[in-house]
Amino acid sequence: AFLPFGFFLPIISRRSKKWYNTVMLGFGFSLMLETLQLIFRVGSFDVDDLLLNTLGGMAGYGLYRLFVRYYHQRNQRGKESGETT
């Protein structure tokens, strides 16, 4: 569930273009959700969920970086061959 969080956060926030900001925001958001589950007794506070949600955010950020790299390489090749995009 946190993979889209890690992918879209750098797109909508300049501050999140650095990987460590995205990871820390993902961890903080996950911690907030887990704490709310504990307070309202809607689920269980699980440390594994914190770890897995944070890893999901990191994976999403990794996909974002791959997408940006692919997009820039594709545009660079188009400019070199004289194509208009």
Side-chain angles (χ1 to χ4, degrees), residues 7 17 60-70:
F7 183 83
K17 295 220 186 277
Y61 182 80
L63 288 174
Y64 163 77
R65 292 300 301 165
L66 287 173
F67 176 77
V68 167
R69 181 178 295 161
Y70 171 77

Side-chain angles (χ1 to χ4, degrees), residues 7-77:
F7 183 83
F8 289 113
L9 191 63
I11 293 173
I12 62 173
S13 171
R14 278 190 180 153
R15 184 177 297 167
S16 297
K17 295 220 186 277
K18 303 284 185 185
W19 69 270
Y20 48 85
N21 287 337
T22 303
V23 170
M24 291 306 294
L25 285 170
F27 176 77
F29 189 57
S30 178
L31 181 63
M32 180 191 68
L33 290 177
E34 291 295 321
T35 304
L36 287 173
Q37 285 181 357
L38 179 67
I39 291 171
F40 293 114
R41 298 181 183 180
V42 228
S44 62
F45 186 96
D46 196 8
V47 176
D48 291 343
D49 286 345
L50 282 172
L51 177 64
L52 293 174
N53 291 342
T54 304
L55 288 174
M58 289 172 64
Y61 182 80
L63 288 174
Y64 163 77
R65 292 300 301 165
L66 287 173
F67 176 77
V68 167
R69 181 178 295 161
Y70 171 77
Y71 182 76
H72 284 301
Q73 286 177 351
R74 184 171 176 226
N75 281 344
Q76 193 65 14
R77 274 189 254 136

